Amino acid sequence: MATESNHPGGGFNPPEPTDRGGPDYGRFIEAVRTLQDHARSADAPDGVITEAAGLIEKVSALLAPYEADEWNSPSGRRMDLPNRGNVNNVPVHLERTGENRIAGTAHFRRFHLGRNGAVHGGSLALLFDSLLGYTAAQLTGSLYQRTAYLHVNYRKIAPIDKELQVEAGIDRIEGRKIFVAGRLLDGSDVLTEADALFVRLKPGQP
């Protein structure tokens, strides 16, 4: 089993696939996402909030004895689930296209709300960091890399609670540098564009 001591200075070792968490791990992740949505949207009576706080504290106490390090937690290692079972990422479905690009869909939920029905700018940046990093890894086969910079251009309001489209590809490669760009669309409308530089890590580089 992987441990922190197995990865000295190797911050981006590829995740080892697992089935830990069992058949309900996807249901567990979805329940957490839905709870985050309710936490953003609920306007409940004081007593309901008090009861909910107690229940959430009980769930946290239930899980606390099983806290694992990043190498052993199922989060990010459930290859059978969207986003590898990582609750932190914006929900996406991605695939490699015939044009050697990445395309798919993204769905921002109530949890990602900024204001006035629009996705929070930080959530959009999170999406692109994940999308462009995934693109760089998938299209080059390089799994050891980190973000050097990420530029996000906010063109139009991105709505929550709607299936949107994403696309991305590699612009060029210069040695260890992988330049990637992508877009978020609502049909033919470009909502957000981003470009990033990912740098391949040297052996043992964190």
Side-chain angles (χ1 to χ4, degrees):
M1 179 178 290
T3 65
E4 290 180 350
S5 61
N6 295 140
H7 302 282
F12 255 50
N13 289 272
E16 298 177 6
T18 185
D19 60 0
R20 295 283 294 173
D24 281 331
Y25 195 75
R27 175 184 167 209
F28 168 74
I29 293 299
E30 179 62 21
V32 173
R33 288 190 182 280
T34 302
L35 176 60
Q36 290 176 320
D37 292 336
H38 288 316
R40 285 297 310 272
S41 62
D43 181 18
D46 294 357
V48 172
I49 296 298
T50 298
E51 181 179 1
L55 292 171
I56 294 170
E57 288 170 350
K58 287 181 180 179
V59 171
S60 292
L62 176 67
L63 295 174
Y66 306 101
E67 183 172 344
D69 62 40
E70 64 179 287
W71 311 110
N72 294 302
S73 169
S75 177
R77 300 197 299 131
R78 283 295 298 261
M79 305 305 186
D80 57 316
L81 298 175
N83 303 101
R84 302 198 310 269
N86 187 346
V87 72
N88 184 56
N89 290 351
V90 177
V92 295
H93 290 86
L94 304 173
E95 62 182 15
R96 190 169 179 165
T97 70
E99 296 77 30
N100 202 31
R101 292 177 62 82
I102 299 297
T105 59
H107 185 100
F108 293 93
R109 302 170 60 138
R110 179 62 182 269
F111 177 71
H112 303 110
L113 175 67
R115 202 68 175 171
N116 197 27
V119 176
H120 190 285
S123 296
L124 288 163
L126 175 61
L127 167 72
F128 277 107
D129 193 32
S130 298
L131 169 65
L132 300 183
Y134 176 85
T135 298
Q138 286 295 309
L139 298 186
T140 66
S142 173
L143 301 179
Y144 304 87
Q145 59 196 26
R146 283 197 183 273
T147 313
Y149 69 67
L150 172 67
H151 296 160
V152 182
N153 296 317
Y154 302 95
R155 303 298 188 189
K156 296 183 179 180
I157 294 299
I160 63 168
D161 290 327
K162 184 176 184 180
E163 186 173 272
L164 304 172
Q165 299 78 49
V166 293
E167 58 181 37
I170 294 175
D171 282 347
R172 67 187 187 280
I173 298 175
E174 298 176 359
R176 295 168 53 212
K177 299 178 180 180
I178 307 170
F179 296 86
V180 194
R183 303 192 300 173
L184 175 71
L185 306 100
D186 184 3
S188 60
D189 290 335
V190 177
L191 306 179
T192 314
E193 296 176 305
D195 62 273
L197 167 61
F198 291 86
V199 178
R200 291 188 177 101
L201 299 179
K202 297 179 180 179
Q205 187 175 0

